[in-house]
Structure formats: structure tokens, C-alpha cells
Amino acid sequence: MTLAQTEITLPGPGPGRVRAWTATLSGGDVTRLVALATVALVFIGFAVTTRGFFTSWNILNVIEQSAIPGILALAMALVILTGGSDVQTGGIDLSLAANMGLSAAIFAVALRAGWGEPAALAATLGAGMLVGVVNGLAVVRLGILPLLATLAMSNIVGGLELVLTENTVIPATSPILNVLSAGSFLGLSSLTWVLILVSTLAAVILHASPPGLRLYATGGHPEAARAAGVSVGRLILGSYAVAGFTAAFAAILSVSRLSASSTGTGEMLLSILAAALLGTVFSRRGVPTVAGTLIAVLFIGFLSNGFQLKGLSSNWVSGVQGALILAVVAATALNRRKGG
Amino acid sequence: MTKAPDPRLPASQPAVELRGIVKTYGASQALRGADLVLHPGQIHGLVGQNGAGKSTIIRILAGIEQADPGSGLVQVFGEAVSHPSPEEMERRGIHFIHQDRLLVPTATVAEAIALGQEPKFGPFYNGRRATRQAEALIRRHFGLDIPGNRLIRDLSAAEQKIVQISRALASDARVLVLDEPTAALVRREVESLFSVLRNLRSRGLSILFISHYMDEIEEICDHVTVFHDGRHVASHPVASTSIPEIVTEMVNREVGELYPRRSHAPGAVVLKVEGLGRDGAFSDVGFELRAGEVLGISGLLGSGAKEILATLFGLAPADHGRVTLEGRPYAPGSVRAAVSRGVVLVPEDRRRQGVSVSHSIRENITLGNLGLLSRLGLVSRSSERSLAGRGIADLSIRTTGPDQKVAALSGGNQQKVVLSKWLSSGARVYLLDEPTVAVDVGAKVEIYTVLNRLASEGAAVIVLSSDLLELAGLCDRALIIHRGRIAGRFEGETLRPELMLAAASGATPHLPGPNMKGAA
């Protein structure tokens, strides 16, 4: 004779009748308003106090500089939203920056070795995606925590890059690189246009297509998604693969900017992680969105730009980024403990 | 409320017909020729104890498991299902409302309902149409206006249940299976859920309602099927039976000689509990416990029984009432305070709370008693060994020696290590939370023997168990908790599993103690 008594559940809160949804602002709404106000205040503060900040040249420049971190942050956002935004066990890809470094090296080395542009592009994008697939397999098939799997992958990839480049900068030129680095249209540079196109594509897929809905469902409650017939494992694997591909795509943009592969891309990881996590603050649901991620990337971009114009050391910027990560993660953890 | 088509006159064709289902897992048979027949326009209760085969037949109905080849018949609306799978059963209109609300908390109501069969505009997700459809669906079936753009996590438990049911209705469910649907709902919400179910019944849906709460079965169901030991033992209209009858059919078992008897000589009152309550968990709990007594406590999931134990052990302070321990007030604010007064708890989740599996038996047993063992602040290895040796011998822990890692032991033997850890502490009051869960019969008997010995040595023992047969066999007295209150006190002649089950399920009219039916 047994009765089910395996855990304690208390009666759920709240009245049975339907509350008017306009009656109160939820905690999420308040967070969102405060975050947007903070961004606006910081921007206005720099605009008022810093000479040369609020000029069209400077603003366009910051946006262009944000293209590569922005695209990487969108890749990070994709992995986080599909894997779940619990920082400890959810989706995260710490190998994105290193993957970009390796992919850039592959591209530059392939061009130096005399490969044609299409072959070099294919090799680069393929290699980046392969890194993502291995990440995804480690997470989905082997069940390794994403934090650890991608950290290890980051080291492997960083090592490969050093082997390939012997820790030197490899110069690279090709027609497509010239278009990307020098082209412009309607007063906006190629890189800015690429950021706009990638963001639009991501927004359409994530926010306006059935697969996008399923990606968010997978991150929000994998069991519920599975019960609704969503192939959870395949989507998570796919998110890492697309993130890897995107890292390689960003690598090509990076080579175009520098006309060379460059070492030390790993330093970018902190800012793209900060942007992807900070981006969740701007959404009603507390999940990564395209708009939220872009706002966060531009915020970080303007912050470091403002610091530079004020003559402050750029070392402060990485400190601020670290603090932002801590603040966002702490706020999410607190919210989760409070609201369940 | 009119009862839709008279359930005593079944409609011509059953919605679901399972006949003679046999299901074997390895060496044990979970189902041994079970029948379950559901009719359209009927709310059908399914009851049985854990292990009776309820969940197995549900899994077969869901297509998650298949019956043994060659056994039985699975028919849905008159058609035999030859290759049942979850997709196949869903295609035939059988939908499951899981006990835990399987919804994405960050999705909107519309998205949660649409997920998996999203309305489209070309290749795009048509959010506006999804919202319109969801709102219309909820309004039509439930008469409620839940905005389609609200987030699931902002809904009440009952609203989430409604969204779950709407999901099923959106895909033309004809049979709804609700597994413990009221587990997380308060009384008000249960009532609104019931009116929803009656409404669906009047539209001709067939509803299978699984619940531990007998009062709910009586209130909402037209027909009830009782499972016991892998078979249906009875199936009849609710109107022609009674709760005691159903409970007797569920139990269908006698207390065996599993339980060693002992001489019963209670001493002085050790623990006196008066009007004890903790807001939101339990209230008005009072009892006395004498030295040498074993008191049983039980209740359904969420009844508050576990919280009473937690409060007595200082894990969560009481908000009301008074506890006296050996004549002095006792209101432990922490586990440390409880232990210092001679109260110990053997937790249920031994891996998480009771034992460190990566340490040896010796270290585990002595960890709780370092005070006894240390001299000049150093642990005396020899007294450690003798204490561990005594624990192993007393409980006949099957091991290669005191230095074996606990991880290498079986579940029953791990539990004995936990017991031994606390039993060597010489406490006055022992609180045991599900001491025999997941241990084999042989180990159970040894654990019972130890508890009896503790009592005969003058300790007071409280055992929380959901195994009512065990309480009947082991305890001198038992308290049954229902919805946070004592729903029955059982002793001597009345200490019988079927009576206790009835009280735990909310059916108490023929028993001593207040009738708590309907208390939220």
C-alpha cells in the first residue's frame, strides 16, 4: 500500500479568475524599462559631455565596428536561446571567438597557398561549421555541459590556429575582401550592410517562423517542446552548427577589415558574451532576442568609444564588460529564485 | 449540473477499449490481463495504489509502451490499433494532460497552444492568427478570456492547466487523459477545472481521470475502474458504489508477517505537540508521543505530512502552536538546535542528504558522532572503528568491511548506513522520512527490527511513510494528514490500511477526526 509522496508541492498561488493583464507591470517590464533608460542615459551623457561623440561620423563608425562582434553575439544568442538561458547548464558557446580566429587563419592561409576564392570560402565556412558540429555533438550526444565542452573546444581551436599561423599575422587580399572593406552603399559601409542583413535574416527566422518558435520552446522547457513533437536534440545540435558557421562568416569579415588574419581574437569573447547576456534584459520574456542583442552590442560599442574619446584606458572597458556579465547573471539568478 | 448520457447505459461504441493487456518488464509482470473501457461522454476514474499498474496501462494507451506481443487488444473508436505509437494514438484523438504542466514558461498562451502545429503565412509563423485562434478556443470551451499574448509563467496553475487542455482540444482531441490534474491546484481552481471537464463531457469527449483523491473521484466521475496488482479488480458506475467499497477493492491485501511484533510498554510522554501550524503547509496539528512508541504519519503528495517532520527537525519554523520536549519548550530554529535536544531525522533522499557515497562506511557512520569520538580535538581511529563495526553488525550491513565505499552498496544497505549513522547517536526522538523507500523486502525487515529495538530501548520514533501497510504493521498509532490537517487518528482496531487510505484521500465521514473535505 503506497501513496505517492515523493516531493512537496504547495498549492499554486494566484486566484482562479483571469487577471487583467494591463493591471500591473510585471518584474520583467520594470527591468526592461530600467535597462532601456540606462542605455539612453549613458548615450545622452556621452553626447553632452564628450566632444566628437555625437557626430554622424562617429556614430556610423561605432556601428561599423560593432558589425563583427554583433554577428558573433547573435550566434551566441542563438546558442543561449536554444540551449536555455541558465548560465550554468544552459546553452553557451565559449569557442566562438577562437573559432573566428581559426577560420580567419584558414582563409588567409588558403588564399596564400593560391586557392581560388570560392574554394577558400568553402573551406573556411566548412571548418567553422565543423567546429560547431563537434560542439553540438559533445553537448547533445555526450551530454557534456556546454560551458565545459565549448571551453575545451576553444582551447583546441586556439591551438590549431597557432599551429597554422605559427603565431604570425598572415596578410590576405582578394576581390571579395576588397568589396567588404572598401565598398559602401547609401552612405553605409559594407560591414554595416552585412550586419543589417544578418540581423534581418536572424529576426525573420527567430521571431517570425515556426522553426524560431520551436527553438525558443526548446530553450524554455525542453520536455514541453519534446512533448509537442519538437526534435529537441536536433535543434540544439543545429544551433551550435549555425553558430560555428557564423563564426567563420565573421572571420571573413574580420580578414577583410584587417587585410590579414590576426592573432588574439579570443579577447573578443568577453564582449560578445556580455552582449548576448545583456541582450536578454531588453526582452519581455527574459530570453535573447535579435533586437535586444543588437542594443546590447551597440551599448557596449558606444561605451568603449566614449571611454576612448574621453581619453580613458580601454582596459576599463573590459572591466565594465565583466561587471555587466556579473550583473546580468546575478539579476537573472535572483529573478529565477524569486519567481520560479 | 445535468449528468450527460446515463453512464449506466454505455453508448454503442466505446471510445477506447483495452482488453486483456499483459506487460512484462524483465522478470516482473506489471499488467496481467488488464481491461480498461472508456465511453464517449463519460468521465472515467482510474484508481489504484502505486504499483497497481495504473501508470503502465496509461503508457500503453499513450503508445509509449507496447503490450506484450500476442496479448490483448487495443481498440480506438472500434478500430484495432496494430502498431501503437505516441504519434499514432494522438492522430486517433487520444491526448494526455500531464501532471506537471508541460508548458514553455517563456512562451505566450498562443505560442504554447500553437507549438508543433503553428498557423502559417507563407513560410512564416502567423502570430496574429495563432493569438486569435487561441483566444477563441479558450472562450468557446471555457468561457474565459485569457489574452493570447500573456506569458505562460504569468498564469495561475489553473490557467496553465486550461492552456494544456486547450492544446489538446486544438488538435481535435476525442479522448482526454488527465493524470493527477488537481495535484497543484487549490480548491477554487479544482472547481473551475471540474466545470470545464463537465462541459467537455457534455460535448461527447471521453475523459480518463486519474486521481489519488477519492472525494474528487466521487464528485466528478461517472464510472470508476479499480486496479490492483496488474489487473482491473472492479469497474462500476460511481453512483452504485461507495468510497469505502472502492478503497477496499484497492487494498485487497492483508498485513503479513513481514512486521515483527514487539512488546508494547510505552513510558513517559517525550514529545507533546499542541496546535502546531506553519502557514501554507499545515495547521492545528496536535499529538503526544511516549517513550517506546512508534508513531506513523502519512498523507498524499502535498498534504503537509512532510512539512510537519521538517518543522519538528528545525528545517522550517512553526508559525503557530507549541511543542514540548521532555517537559521543556522545544522550538528549534535550526537543525543544530534540534540535534542538540536529541532529535534526529533520517532523510528520504539518502544520496543527497543522508550519506556521502564517496566516503567509506566507517567515515559515514562516525561523521555524525565526532563529538563522541574525539579526544583533545583529534578523532580516535580505534573508537571510530569500533563504532562502525557495531553499526555494521547491528544492522547486518552486507559489506566487505568498514572501509568499503558506500557507493558500492545496494540501496537497502545504503539506507542502513544512514540509519546506523543516526542510531549510534543516542537520541531521544527519531524522525524517519520514508525509511524503506526503494529497499528490498529483506532489508525492510532488518530496518523494522532496528526501529523496534530503538523504541524498546526507550526512544520515541516517528515514521513518515506513504506505505500504509507498513504503518499498520510497524506503528502503535498513526496520523493521517489531508490538506494540511489531521484527517484521522488510527490505533489498535482502526489501524488498518484501507481506513487510513480513505482518510488520506479525503473521504472520512465514517471515521473519527474532523471531516476535512473541501478545505482549501
Side-chain angles (χ1 to χ4, degrees):
Chain A
M1 161 102 38
T2 47
L3 302 175
Q5 196 188 45
T6 48
E7 60 179 293
I8 311 296
T9 43
L10 294 175
R17 73 188 171 79
V18 179
R19 279 166 290 165
W21 63 282
T22 48
T24 53
L25 276 176
S26 75
D29 293 332
V30 175
T31 318
R32 194 154 45 119
L33 288 176
V34 169
L36 281 172
T38 310
V39 169
L41 275 178
V42 168
F43 189 84
I44 292 169
F46 276 126
V48 170
T49 64
T50 312
R51 182 190 290 269
F53 181 83
F54 195 67
T55 61
S56 63
W57 183 86
N58 187 52
I59 290 172
L60 288 177
N61 182 40
V62 170
I63 295 175
E64 187 189 330
Q65 283 174 353
S66 299
I68 292 170
I71 287 167
L72 288 173
L74 286 173
M76 182 72 88
L78 172 71
V79 170
I80 293 177
L81 76 90
T82 312
S85 45
D86 183 312
V87 186
Q88 281 129 48
T89 59
I92 199 165
D93 187 349
L94 298 181
S95 68
L96 273 175
N99 189 357
M100 181 176 84
L102 174 65
S103 300
I106 290 175
F107 192 53
V109 168
L111 288 179
R112 187 180 61 183
W115 292 28
E117 203 170 52
L121 281 175
T124 305
L125 295 173
M129 190 154 164
L130 181 68
V131 170
V133 169
V134 174
N135 274 331
L137 288 175
V139 169
V140 176
R141 290 286 144 75
L142 302 181
I144 304 175
L145 278 182
L147 205 63
L148 287 177
T150 59
L151 182 64
M153 181 54 84
S154 175
N155 260 12
I156 296 171
V157 165
L160 284 178
E161 185 199 339
L162 289 180
V163 169
L164 204 59
T165 64
E166 293 162 329
N167 205 10
T168 57
V169 171
I170 299 172
T173 51
S174 83
I176 195 167
L177 293 180
N178 292 337
V179 171
L180 284 171
S181 61
S184 80
F185 180 63
L186 297 178
L188 299 178
S189 68
S190 304
L191 277 183
T192 307
W193 279 110
V194 170
L195 177 64
I196 292 172
L197 291 177
V198 169
S199 303
T200 309
L201 183 68
V204 168
I205 292 174
L206 290 179
H207 304 314
S209 83
L213 196 63
R214 292 168 190 199
L215 287 168
Y216 276 105
T218 300
H221 193 328
E223 291 310 312
R226 199 170 283 130
V230 175
S231 348
V232 169
R234 221 182 311 163
L235 287 185
I236 295 178
L237 179 57
S239 75
Y240 283 98
V242 170
F245 180 88
T246 311
F249 181 76
I252 292 162
L253 301 182
S254 160
V255 173
S256 85
R257 251 182 93 80
L258 306 168
S259 298
S261 79
S262 83
T263 52
T265 54
E267 283 167 20
M268 218 181 212
L269 179 64
L270 187 67
S271 67
I272 62 178
L273 184 61
L277 290 175
L278 184 61
T280 63
V281 173
F282 301 106
S283 93
R284 171 165 79 116
R285 313 173 189 214
V287 296
T289 58
V290 173
T293 307
L294 288 179
I295 294 175
V297 166
L298 291 176
F299 175 66
I300 291 174
F302 280 113
L303 206 60
S304 65
N305 173 254
F307 276 30
Q308 274 165 14
L309 292 179
K310 276 186 170 305
L312 289 165
S313 157
S314 65
N315 294 338
W316 283 99
V317 176
S318 75
V320 169
Q321 287 169 355
L324 279 176
I325 293 182
L326 276 184
V328 173
V329 171
T332 335
L334 279 178
N335 257 339
R336 194 162 297 152
R337 206 173 308 158
K338 215 167 43 185
Chain B
M1 183 62 54
T2 54
K3 288 217 170 183
D6 188 343
R8 269 158 292 189
L9 299 171
S12 54
Q13 189 185 60
V16 170
E17 203 171 353
L18 303 178
R19 296 262 184 217
I21 304 291
V22 177
K23 178 71 193 172
T24 314
Y25 295 104
S28 69
Q29 247 182 358
L31 291 176
R32 312 193 278 169
D35 289 4
L36 183 64
V37 181
L38 310 181
H39 289 278
Q42 187 189 58
I43 301 180
H44 194 117
L46 177 60
V47 298
Q49 307 156 48
N50 284 0
K54 262 184 320 178
S55 37
T56 309
I57 197 130
I58 296 308
R59 292 170 73 78
I60 285 173
L61 182 56
I64 298 168
E65 305 256 9
Q66 269 74 52
D68 287 359
S71 90
L73 167 81
V74 179
Q75 271 194 354
V76 180
F77 293 103
E79 283 177 41
V81 185
S82 46
H83 298 292
S85 69
E87 294 76 28
E88 175 68 15
M89 294 317 239
E90 198 165 302
R91 206 177 55 73
R92 289 172 188 258
I94 302 179
H95 283 258
F96 286 78
I97 312 299
H98 294 275
Q99 179 176 0
D100 34 347
R101 297 179 292 281
L102 274 185
L103 295 169
V104 180
T106 51
T108 64
V109 169
E111 288 166 357
I113 291 176
L115 184 64
Q117 42 201 353
E118 303 86 357
K120 285 183 199 160
F121 177 77
F124 304 116
Y125 165 62
N126 190 337
R128 205 168 292 174
R129 193 157 102 221
T131 305
R132 246 190 353 255
Q133 285 175 349
E135 287 173 354
L137 187 76
I138 294 174
R139 197 172 307 119
R140 187 165 79 243
H141 287 287
F142 306 100
L144 285 173
D145 284 308
I146 301 181
N149 63 359
R150 274 186 66 193
L151 296 186
I152 293 296
R153 64 158 180 237
D154 295 335
L155 301 180
S156 72
E159 287 168 331
Q160 293 185 8
K161 203 62 121 185
I162 284 170
V163 172
Q164 263 187 300
I165 296 176
S166 302
R167 252 194 78 80
L169 297 175
S171 43
D172 294 321
R174 298 161 81 193
V175 177
L176 277 188
V177 180
L178 293 105
D179 188 6
E180 296 282 351
T182 62
L185 304 189
V186 299
R187 183 64 217 175
R188 244 194 332 268
E189 297 177 324
V190 171
E191 269 155 24
S192 60
L193 176 68
F194 281 3
S195 74
V196 163
L197 295 184
R198 291 193 185 100
N199 191 5
L200 295 176
R201 171 178 63 189
S202 70
R203 286 160 196 266
L205 260 80
S206 172
I207 298 168
L208 182 63
F209 185 91
I210 301 147
S211 178
H212 278 296
Y213 293 107
M214 290 299 135
D215 51 346
E216 292 178 356
I217 297 283
E218 189 178 39
E219 186 179 345
I220 187 74
C221 295
D222 307 307
H223 203 95
V224 61
T225 294
V226 183
F227 265 48
H228 178 76
D229 212 9
R231 261 192 212 108
H232 59 287
V233 289
S235 185
H236 29 217
V238 169
S240 70
T241 181
S242 66
I243 291 177
E245 197 179 322
I246 296 174
V247 169
T248 311
E249 288 161 353
M250 282 168 69
V251 177
N252 206 8
R253 199 159 65 151
E254 290 300 318
V255 180
E257 61 283 355
L258 197 61
Y259 302 94
R261 281 282 139 203
R262 66 195 159 81
S263 57
H264 177 82
V269 172
V270 174
L271 190 70
K272 189 171 175 188
V273 177
E274 295 163 282
L276 195 68
R278 175 146 65 83
D279 294 338
F282 59 88
S283 59
D284 217 12
V285 170
F287 60 86
E288 282 186 359
L289 182 62
R290 292 170 178 279
E293 258 190 327
V294 180
L295 172 74
I297 296 186
S298 190
L300 292 171
L301 178 70
S303 65
K306 250 188 161 62
E307 285 84 346
I308 296 175
L309 230 58
T311 294
L312 289 177
F313 192 51
L315 288 166
D319 295 314
H320 314 280
R322 197 163 49 152
V323 183
T324 318
L325 177 63
E326 299 190 295
R328 288 196 293 137
Y330 170 72
S334 66
V335 169
R336 202 185 178 81
V339 173
S340 75
R341 291 288 302 271
V343 178
V344 299
L345 174 91
V346 182
E348 172 185 7
D349 189 347
R350 53 180 166 265
R351 273 185 183 268
R352 279 179 50 193
Q353 303 170 357
V355 68
S356 161
V357 292
S358 55
H359 284 82
S360 70
I361 299 173
R362 172 177 56 80
E363 287 162 325
N364 266 289
I365 290 180
T366 56
L367 207 57
N369 304 294
L370 289 180
L372 290 178
L373 299 170
S374 50
R375 268 193 211 107
L376 303 171
L378 297 171
V379 178
S380 151
R381 188 57 59 94
S382 64
S383 40
E384 214 185 39
R385 283 195 158 274
S386 77
L387 187 66
R390 210 166 64 219
I392 290 171
D394 281 0
L395 285 161
S396 43
I397 298 172
R398 270 173 285 279
T399 167
T400 56
D403 290 311
Q404 192 179 13
K405 291 249 190 308
V406 170
L409 301 178
S410 72
N413 282 305
Q414 287 187 3
Q415 182 70 336
K416 286 193 263 178
V417 172
V418 180
L419 279 172
S420 179
K421 171 174 161 186
W422 292 117
L423 302 189
S424 42
S425 68
R428 297 293 297 133
V429 178
Y430 291 93
L431 310 171
L432 295 110
D433 185 355
E434 302 284 358
T436 61
V437 75
V439 304
D440 61 81
V441 178
K444 273 186 185 178
V445 174
E446 278 155 13
I447 290 169
Y448 298 147
T449 311
V450 172
L451 295 183
N452 281 335
R453 205 191 64 225
L454 281 177
S456 67
E457 286 170 6
V461 180
I462 300 182
V463 177
L464 176 89
S465 174
S466 43
D467 187 341
L468 296 175
L469 196 66
E470 170 174 299
L471 287 192
L474 179 67
C475 301
D476 300 299
R477 291 184 292 129
L479 303 176
I480 299 298
I481 313 298
H482 178 68
R483 302 204 200 264
R485 284 165 187 274
I486 296 182
R489 297 164 188 274
F490 302 87
E491 190 168 4
E493 273 304 291
T494 62
L495 190 59
R496 299 215 309 268
E498 65 272 23
L499 297 183
M500 290 192 276
L501 177 59
S505 316
T508 57
H510 57 297
L511 290 168
N515 176 8
M516 281 303 127
K517 184 172 170 175

